[in-house]
Amino acid sequence: MQEKQTKQGRARKLLSTGVMVINIGLMAACGDGGKAAAEAALRALETAYGTVRSEAAKYAPDQAKSIDEELAEAQETFSKQDYKKALAEAQRLMAKVGDLGAVVATKKAELTEAWAGVRAGVPGVMQSLRQRVDELSKVKKLPSGVKKEAVEAAKSSVAALSNTWDEAAEAFRSANLADAVAKAKAVKAKAAELFTSIGQRVPDELK
């Protein structure tokens, strides 16, 4: 929650700074048809957007793509010396960048929370699953309703799941939160399936 508020605060600060630069540019634009104002506004916009662009591409790709396209259009408008229109477009996009920063912060906070929830329970139940599969693979007579083929398949799947979990953990360490959560949820679902396949109750952590 604190991280979310911090990110949103930064986005608001960038937006406020950009608006201030735009206003200064407006005051300095006398006699040049608004070129200075438009140029200052576009610089402020590019700076503000640059601080969230890479993360926006990961966590809000559609919005980021839209701003990329509209920014290119605003720059093209400026190059055609339609400074009044370029300024208006920059002002409008500055507000969108502020909103985008808040969206990115919210998405990151949600994914971090989702990861924490999965991380708290999955490693422990994975260990329990591995132990139970090992036990069943060694007994001479399997419990009623449990097939040898299911145990063998589960034994193979446990190893693959461990690898996927390691990949999820590495993705989280690399700040690829969406990938980390997606992989973790896949592990969670498959582990629940394996518990059922070997006649075991699905742990609450996997529900």
Side-chain angles (χ1 to χ4, degrees):
M1 183 65 176
Q2 184 177 3
E3 180 186 2
K4 174 182 174 181
Q5 292 174 338
T6 299
K7 294 288 187 179
Q8 290 176 331
R10 289 175 182 170
R12 285 193 293 270
K13 184 177 180 181
L14 283 168
L15 180 58
S16 297
T17 301
V19 170
M20 181 174 67
V21 170
I22 289 172
N23 289 335
I24 292 173
L26 281 169
M27 290 186 288
C30 297
D32 71 348
K35 179 180 179 180
E39 190 172 24
L42 285 170
R43 281 201 306 266
L45 173 61
E46 289 164 1
T47 298
Y49 184 42
T51 64
V52 298
R53 187 179 226 145
S54 61
E55 289 192 331
K58 291 192 293 185
Y59 304 117
D62 290 341
Q63 286 178 260
K65 181 181 178 182
S66 175
I67 291 179
D68 282 332
E69 293 172 349
E70 292 180 75
L71 175 56
E73 291 174 3
Q75 291 167 333
E76 177 66 17
T77 299
F78 181 86
S79 71
K80 292 178 180 178
Q81 300 182 12
D82 190 347
Y83 303 129
K84 183 178 179 180
K85 183 178 179 181
L87 175 59
E89 290 177 353
Q91 290 172 318
R92 179 179 57 80
L93 285 174
M94 184 63 76
K96 290 186 70 172
V97 168
D99 292 340
L100 179 62
V103 168
V104 169
T106 298
K107 186 63 175 178
K108 287 182 67 177
E110 290 173 350
L111 289 170
T112 299
E113 184 177 355
W115 169 261
V118 179
R119 174 66 180 82
V122 169
V125 295
M126 283 287 292
Q127 180 62 25
S128 297
L129 175 61
R130 186 179 297 107
Q131 291 175 349
R132 184 54 179 159
V133 170
D134 287 343
E135 291 170 1
L136 290 173
S137 66
K138 295 174 183 176
V139 299
K140 293 182 178 180
K141 184 177 181 180
L142 291 170
S144 177
V146 179
K147 297 182 179 180
K148 182 179 179 180
E149 293 82 358
V151 174
E152 292 175 348
K155 189 172 184 178
S156 176
S157 294
V158 165
L161 278 185
S162 294
N163 290 335
T164 302
W165 180 258
D166 289 343
E167 291 172 0
E170 179 57 33
F172 183 80
R173 287 191 292 271
S174 300
N176 294 322
L177 304 184
D179 189 38
V181 171
K183 281 183 166 58
K185 288 183 175 180
V187 170
K188 184 177 177 180
K190 185 61 178 180
E193 180 184 314
L194 292 178
F195 270 104
T196 300
S197 73
I198 58 173
Q200 302 296 299
R201 183 185 69 82
V202 176
D204 293 339
E205 293 87 345
L206 299 180
K207 294 179 180 177

